Amino acid sequence: MKPIGILGGTFDPVHCGHLRIALDALQQLGLQEVRLLPCRQSPLRDAPRVTAGQRLAMLEAAIAGEPGLVADGRELQREGPSFSVDTLRTLRADYPDTPLCLIVGMDAFIGFAQWKDWRQIFALAHIVVVQRPGSALQFHDAGLQQEFEQRRCQQATELAGDYAGKIFLLEATYLDISATQIRALVAAGNSARYLLPDAVWQYIQQHGLYQ
Ligand code: ATP
């Protein structure tokens, strides 16, 4: 069965860096869809700058007309911080027999051993680590390195053979764009156009966000 991709993030706001890796994963891994999940409150970061509803509306505007990308607001309905392990349990309940691929940037994967119940995540999903082409993977945690070495698979087709537990390194288009940079541009009165879809830029302007 074709796997489902899952890309979580604050999406404060969503930008072309997120969208491009979602599309690269969809195409290169032969996924049936990539579900993009805005988190209510990341356990490791400051509170988002705009409301959950605004972040979801920007995401929906960004992916309109792209059938392989789906906005999934499930984390916004839960109180408190959004832990990936809890979210993956709800996704696993919805898709009991489908391989799930949790897509994480290299920066996020390096800190993976600090995530809640991180070892249990391997029982729920595969991990797809998005790598900047040519960049090396550096570990700060020996336990994570060991899991990586045991679980790493070389071929994307292996992800469809099991429903969880493998790690795959995906070389994807890593655009040098961050939501932090976009918020700073807008706060300084500059345009963020072309870093994010026009529909998202229009939404930011119409609602006076990030000023
Ligand atoms: P901020 O600047 O506020 O920290 P961000 O732009 O890094 O935000 P997040 O919502 O925190 O965006 O990112 C969600 C996921 O997307 C993470 O796994 C992150 O590694 C990945 N990601 C973020 N920016 C890029 C990018 N330019 N290219 C590829 N992946 C990215």
Side-chain angles (χ1 to χ4, degrees), residues 29 101 126-129 147-162 164-170:
L29 305 179
C101 293
H126 301 306
I127 313 290
V128 170
V129 183
E147 293 284 358
F148 175 78
E149 283 160 8
Q150 283 166 6
R151 296 176 178 281
R152 181 172 182 189
C153 65
Q154 301 289 346
Q155 303 295 330
T157 48
E158 292 176 57
L159 299 171
D162 253 319
K166 296 190 191 320
I167 300 177
F168 183 75
L169 282 185
L170 177 73

Side-chain angles (χ1 to χ4, degrees), residues 2 42 53 55 59 68 92 101 110 122 146 162 179 198 209:
K2 282 187 174 180
S42 164
R55 288 183 291 124
L59 182 57
R92 183 44 74 206
C101 293
I110 285 168
F122 295 121
Q146 203 176 20
D162 253 319
D198 266 342
L209 307 183

Side-chain angles (χ1 to χ4, degrees), residues 6-22 37-39 42 45 55 103-109 115 128 130-132 172-183:
I6 297 149
L7 178 62
T10 315
F11 302 131
D12 187 20
V14 64
H15 55 67
C16 295
H18 303 129
L19 297 165
R20 191 58 232 179
I21 59 166
L37 280 73
C39 64
S42 164
R45 299 166 41 125
R55 288 183 291 124
I103 303 165
V104 297
M106 180 74 88
D107 54 336
F109 184 68
W115 294 18
V128 170
V130 181
Q131 211 182 8
R132 292 169 197 260
T173 319
Y174 211 110
L175 301 170
D176 196 7
I177 300 172
S178 70
T180 303
Q181 169 200 12
I182 291 170
R183 293 192 300 270

Side-chain angles (χ1 to χ4, degrees), residues 9 19-20 47 56 77 85 105 117 122 135 161 189 209:
L19 297 165
R20 191 58 232 179
L56 184 60
Q77 284 140 27
V85 68
D117 299 337
F122 295 121
S135 72
L209 307 183

Side-chain angles (χ1 to χ4, degrees), residues 1-209:
M1 196 183 296
K2 282 187 174 180
I4 292 177
I6 297 149
L7 178 62
T10 315
F11 302 131
D12 187 20
V14 64
H15 55 67
C16 295
H18 303 129
L19 297 165
R20 191 58 232 179
I21 59 166
L23 202 57
D24 277 347
L26 182 76
Q27 294 176 151
Q28 290 187 44
L29 305 179
L31 305 176
Q32 48 176 292
E33 63 186 22
V34 175
R35 305 185 72 81
L36 294 107
L37 280 73
C39 64
R40 184 184 175 93
Q41 159 83 67
S42 164
L44 303 174
R45 299 166 41 125
D46 293 342
R49 289 282 309 277
V50 303
T51 67
Q54 288 168 332
R55 288 183 291 124
L56 184 60
M58 289 190 280
L59 182 57
E60 284 169 345
I63 63 177
E66 187 52 65
L69 304 185
V70 179
D72 184 330
R74 71 182 61 218
E75 288 194 342
L76 303 177
Q77 284 140 27
R78 256 191 353 244
E79 288 295 319
S82 313
F83 293 107
S84 296
V85 68
D86 299 332
T87 304
L88 286 168
R89 284 196 184 107
T90 71
L91 282 157
R92 183 44 74 206
D94 287 353
Y95 305 101
D97 305 317
T98 308
L100 299 177
C101 293
L102 181 67
I103 303 165
V104 297
M106 180 74 88
D107 54 336
F109 184 68
I110 285 168
F112 191 68
Q114 270 102 60
W115 294 18
K116 182 187 165 199
D117 299 337
W118 65 278
R119 286 177 198 273
Q120 287 178 31
I121 293 178
F122 295 121
L124 295 162
H126 301 306
I127 313 290
V128 170
V129 183
V130 181
Q131 211 182 8
R132 292 169 197 260
S135 72
L137 184 53
Q138 287 182 331
F139 288 98
H140 306 300
D141 185 279
L144 180 61
Q145 181 162 8
Q146 203 176 20
E147 293 284 358
F148 175 78
E149 283 160 8
Q150 283 166 6
R151 296 176 178 281
R152 181 172 182 189
C153 65
Q154 301 289 346
Q155 303 295 330
T157 48
E158 292 176 57
L159 299 171
D162 253 319
Y163 72 75
K166 296 190 191 320
I167 300 177
F168 183 75
L169 282 185
L170 177 73
E171 287 216 348
T173 319
Y174 211 110
L175 301 170
D176 196 7
I177 300 172
S178 70
T180 303
Q181 169 200 12
I182 291 170
R183 293 192 300 270
L185 279 171
V186 181
N190 291 318
S191 173
R193 207 169 168 204
Y194 308 130
L195 298 173
L196 65 189
D198 266 342
V200 179
W201 177 231
Q202 280 161 17
Y203 187 99
I204 290 172
Q205 289 177 299
Q206 274 162 13
H207 294 81
L209 307 183

